[in-house]
């Protein structure tokens, strides 16, 4: 007699039909010692999905990837937290370039991924410290995958399906990205990071173009040419009076 079986997910995966936020849930697990390096929280729906600067991540249940990867930085990486942000963004950009042969892929500083000039991915990395020691990071990744209907106000939103016409397997994407990111961490060395930084800058959105920004601390609006991102994660802009650098969270893009 035939027996019907359902393939179980791997033991590194915490699968949830719904959750407040995969980052919040993963952080709780890590704090309680219930999840460790390399484990992933994946939810089909989030009720409090978060983006950068507290923005909500708007998504349709079951159609997109909402995942959080728990990692424990070791060795030299603990002295350069900004490198993790750039490694994550560059890895996802390379992955998209591989699966979307005709896509134009960019990283909008600091870590949104654009496909064909529209946003497909948001990344939110939250770090935990014990005293001065960086104990772990929760890498939250939201990817618009099979959703093709978006809020009309989100004029620059897209998905993998919208750009390719193909349906994607969500778990396959999660597995691929987890493997790629963990490999990056295994082989990380400060002297080799310059290659990752070079890749990040090759993907840098609007590089060499004039863009309007708001300087968040004082509300100043200005136009500058996007030049590059430095090894410490700051954005280098060329303005009328020369080159200036801006740290993460200090600028709002006007697109």
């Amino acid at each position: 007699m035939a027996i019907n079986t359902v393939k179980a997910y791997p033991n590194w995966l915490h699968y949830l039909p719904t959750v407040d936020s995969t980052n919040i849930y993963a952080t709780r697990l890590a704090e309680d010692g219930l999840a460790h390096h390399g484990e992933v929280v994946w939810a089909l729906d989030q009720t409090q999905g978060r983006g950068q600067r507290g923005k909500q991540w708007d998504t349709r249940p079951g159609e997109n990837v909402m995942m959080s990867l728990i990692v424990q930085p070791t060795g030299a990486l603990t002295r350069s937290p900004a490198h993790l942000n750039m490694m994550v963004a560059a890895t996802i950009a390379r992955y998209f370039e591989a699966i979307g042969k005709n896509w134009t892929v960019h990283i909008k500083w600091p870590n949104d991924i654009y496909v064909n000039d529209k946003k497909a991915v948001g990344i939110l990395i939250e770090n935990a410290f014990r005293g001065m020691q960086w104990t772990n990071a929760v890498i939250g990744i939201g990817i618009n995958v099979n959703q093709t209907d978006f809020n009309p106000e989100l004029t620059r939103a897209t998905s993998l399906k919208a750009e390719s016409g193909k349906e994607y397997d969500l778990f396959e994407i999660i597995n691929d990205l987890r493997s790629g990111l963990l490999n990056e961490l295994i082989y990380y060395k400060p002297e080799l990071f310059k290659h990752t930084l070079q890749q990040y800058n090759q993907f840098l959105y609007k590089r060499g173009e004039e863009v309007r920004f708001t300087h968040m601390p004082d509300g100043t609006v200005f136009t500058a040419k996007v030049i590059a991102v430095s090894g410490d994660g700051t954005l280098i802009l060329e303005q009328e009076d020369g080159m200036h650098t801006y740290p993460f969270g200090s600028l709002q893009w006007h697109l």
Side-chain angles (χ1 to χ4, degrees):
M1 183 172 64
I3 299 175
N4 293 324
T5 60
V6 177
K7 184 179 178 181
Y9 286 123
N11 58 11
W12 51 259
L13 184 67
H14 301 262
Y15 169 78
L16 302 164
T18 186
V19 72
D20 49 2
S21 154
T22 59
N23 264 29
I24 293 173
Y25 192 85
T27 299
R28 290 193 201 114
L29 290 180
E31 288 176 348
D32 293 341
L34 300 175
H36 306 284
H37 178 77
E39 296 189 24
V40 171
V41 173
W42 169 30
L44 291 183
D45 189 23
Q46 289 186 128
T47 58
Q48 297 176 37
R50 295 178 296 169
Q52 299 289 357
R53 293 195 293 272
K55 292 180 180 178
Q56 291 291 109
W57 181 260
D58 187 28
T59 186
R60 286 201 174 176
E63 296 188 359
N64 304 312
V65 164
M66 290 161 283
M67 63 177 283
S68 294
L69 171 64
I70 299 166
V71 299
Q72 293 173 325
T74 58
L77 184 58
T78 60
R79 297 189 291 274
S80 304
H83 288 190
L84 180 61
N85 290 49
M86 288 182 274
M87 288 163 60
V88 172
T91 298
I92 297 174
R94 289 197 310 270
Y95 178 66
F96 277 16
E97 209 171 47
I99 66 172
K101 299 298 184 183
N102 300 315
W103 294 349
T104 301
V105 181
H106 288 106
I107 300 169
K108 177 175 162 282
W109 178 86
N111 48 18
D112 285 338
I113 309 296
Y114 273 43
V115 174
N116 298 336
D117 208 36
K118 291 187 176 182
K119 182 176 176 178
V121 182
I123 302 166
L124 179 64
I125 300 178
E126 298 182 293
N127 299 311
F129 294 85
R130 186 173 291 116
M132 296 298 290
Q133 183 183 2
W134 184 15
T135 55
N136 63 67
V138 173
I139 303 169
I141 304 171
I143 308 174
N144 295 330
V145 182
N146 294 320
Q147 180 175 341
T148 53
D149 244 0
F150 293 95
N151 185 325
E153 294 179 5
L154 303 176
T155 58
R156 301 190 76 90
T158 192
S159 69
L160 308 192
K161 184 177 179 180
E163 297 304 325
S164 68
K166 297 191 303 182
E167 193 95 4
Y168 292 84
D169 183 283
L170 301 184
F171 174 71
E172 185 177 318
I173 292 173
I174 291 168
N175 190 39
D176 288 347
L177 289 179
R178 173 185 179 269
S179 298
L181 291 169
L182 292 180
N183 281 336
E184 285 289 313
L185 289 171
I186 289 170
Y187 295 110
Y188 170 82
K189 291 181 180 178
E191 60 270 24
L192 299 178
F193 178 74
K194 61 184 179 182
H195 179 62
T196 301
L197 180 60
Q198 183 182 38
Q199 286 187 328
Y200 185 103
N201 278 309
Q202 286 172 346
F203 285 115
L204 184 60
Y205 188 56
K206 299 293 184 181
R207 184 164 61 107
E209 297 182 32
E210 298 276 344
V211 177
R212 289 180 73 240
F213 296 94
T214 293
H215 185 233
M216 301 299 285
D218 59 20
T220 303
V221 178
F222 65 96
T223 300
K225 182 185 289 186
V226 177
I227 302 299
V229 172
S230 64
D232 63 359
T234 56
L235 181 65
I236 304 170
L237 299 179
E238 182 181 351
Q239 296 170 237
E240 289 183 356
D241 58 346
M243 299 292 184
H244 293 264
T245 60
Y246 293 89
F248 166 76
S250 63
L251 294 177
Q252 179 182 350
W253 296 65
H254 294 275
L255 300 172

